[in-house]
Amino acid sequence: REKGERRTRRKQYVLVNAIDVKIRNSAGVVTFLRQQGALCVRGNHDQSCQRNISEYHKTSGGYNLPEKYSYIRDLSEADILWYKSLPLTIRLPELSPPILIVHAGIVPRVPLEKQKVDDMLRMRRVKLKRLKKQRRTCSFGRWLYQKLTFQKIDGGNDSEGFETFIEPDPSATPWAKEFSVGGGCSILPESDESPHIFFGHDAKLGLQQEPYATGLDTGCCYGKSLSGAVVEINLDSTWDAKIISVNAKAKYDAFMKKKCI
């Protein structure tokens, strides 16, 4: 929301987490968000749901929906159009620093247009790939080889040299921490400044507050807490964020027979 005179203040709800299949009334959540004019990035469950929506309507309702997506039958046409339009990212490049919203993660030092869809939907951790063992060469030959293959002289790897992990791996680092190393990464085509990224997905790690990334999934559906960031935009396009958390009233995923990841 914008700071300023009370009559010009506006609110906009933006969701980072998937519209969860672990709760009882997923269809009602979709309808409520659409009616409120909320913005939402596409999550891993949303991606799967969209595929099931396509199959269901392709067969005029004859497709055998998985139980966790049975709520598709209760979605109106307006709900489906809204749901299928969910973007992978929401960008606010005009702010300082710019804001980027994504469901799961962004691979550090990789331009946004080169990010893989599966990483943005499911990734939690990253690890630099090991360089292939080089043949012995003279110092000049080694220097020339590193230059031609875009390797750093200190033994690091190029900007796309990360392995990504869906599940926690003791040898890997939370991507948000790696992204913030060295002052963030300029990845947006509209800005030379590193964005601050708001994301969800990683309930196991909980609230993550790094210099250039904030993780807001604190496991509400598992009975933990619901967290959000209230972002106030100043007249000079800078912004301030305040984290608010409330305890969950129930363990909502208990309504489902299977736990979804």
Side-chain angles (χ1 to χ4, degrees):
R1 62 187 185 183
E2 294 179 337
K3 284 184 179 178
E5 297 181 12
R6 184 178 296 274
R7 57 189 169 85
T8 62
R9 185 173 292 178
R10 295 177 292 128
K11 287 183 181 177
Q12 176 64 63
Y13 297 104
V14 185
L15 279 76
V16 298
N17 260 358
I19 299 169
D20 222 306
V21 298
K22 306 181 188 78
I23 61 177
R24 182 180 292 174
N25 189 22
S26 294
V29 171
V30 173
T31 303
F32 174 78
L33 292 174
R34 175 180 59 80
Q35 292 175 343
Q36 293 297 313
L39 301 177
C40 182
V41 289
R42 192 191 324 162
N44 53 319
H45 295 308
D46 304 319
Q47 182 91 334
S48 298
C49 181
Q50 288 179 8
R51 286 196 296 266
N52 280 276
I53 287 174
S54 297
E55 291 296 328
Y56 183 72
H57 286 279
K58 191 189 300 181
T59 60
S60 301
Y63 174 67
N64 187 23
L65 286 169
E67 183 181 355
K68 62 183 178 181
Y69 294 116
S70 60
Y71 69 88
I72 287 174
R73 299 187 183 94
D74 300 322
L75 295 175
S76 68
E77 186 175 344
D79 291 335
I80 290 171
L81 288 173
W82 180 86
Y83 203 2
K84 293 178 76 171
S85 70
L86 297 183
L88 287 167
T89 63
I90 294 173
R91 293 179 278 180
L92 299 173
E94 67 277 8
L95 301 182
S96 182
I99 286 177
L100 175 64
I101 301 162
V102 68
H103 173 63
I106 292 291
V107 179
R109 301 194 288 280
V110 175
L112 187 59
E113 62 271 19
K114 292 187 178 180
Q115 297 283 334
K116 296 178 180 178
V117 171
D118 196 58
D119 290 336
M120 290 190 281
L121 294 176
R122 295 164 61 83
M123 178 183 68
R124 291 186 176 94
R125 295 187 177 227
V126 296
K127 181 173 67 173
L128 275 171
K129 294 178 182 177
R130 291 188 177 184
L131 293 175
K132 293 181 179 179
K133 192 173 181 180
Q134 299 175 17
R135 295 190 309 178
R136 294 185 63 184
T137 60
C138 66
S139 57
F140 174 76
R142 183 167 59 252
W143 174 85
L144 181 61
Y145 178 83
Q146 290 172 329
K147 281 290 185 181
L148 291 175
T149 56
F150 302 99
Q151 295 174 18
K152 294 180 180 179
I153 302 303
D154 61 5
N157 210 335
D158 65 294
S159 61
E160 295 188 37
F162 284 97
E163 291 181 72
T164 59
F165 296 82
I166 295 173
E167 293 301 326
D169 185 292
S171 67
T173 304
W175 73 264
K177 186 180 292 292
E178 185 69 43
F179 183 87
S180 294
V181 170
C185 312
S186 176
I187 60 170
L188 298 181
E190 311 95 333
S191 176
D192 294 329
E193 191 176 1
S194 175
H196 189 97
I197 303 175
F198 289 94
F199 66 100
H201 189 62
D202 200 345
K204 292 180 181 178
L205 205 54
L207 183 65
Q208 299 178 61
Q209 292 181 280
E210 300 294 342
Y212 288 88
T214 301
L216 293 169
D217 191 340
T218 48
C220 181
C221 71
Y222 303 122
K224 296 180 181 180
S225 63
L226 176 67
S227 297
V230 178
V231 177
E232 294 200 351
I233 302 172
N234 304 312
L235 294 177
D236 62 356
S237 296
T238 60
W239 52 271
D240 306 293
K242 179 182 179 182
I243 304 297
I244 296 177
S245 296
V246 295
N247 292 330
K249 290 184 177 181
K251 187 176 180 181
Y252 299 97
D253 77 323
F255 295 125
M256 302 303 295
K257 291 181 179 179
K258 276 191 173 183
K259 179 180 174 183
C260 305
I261 295 177

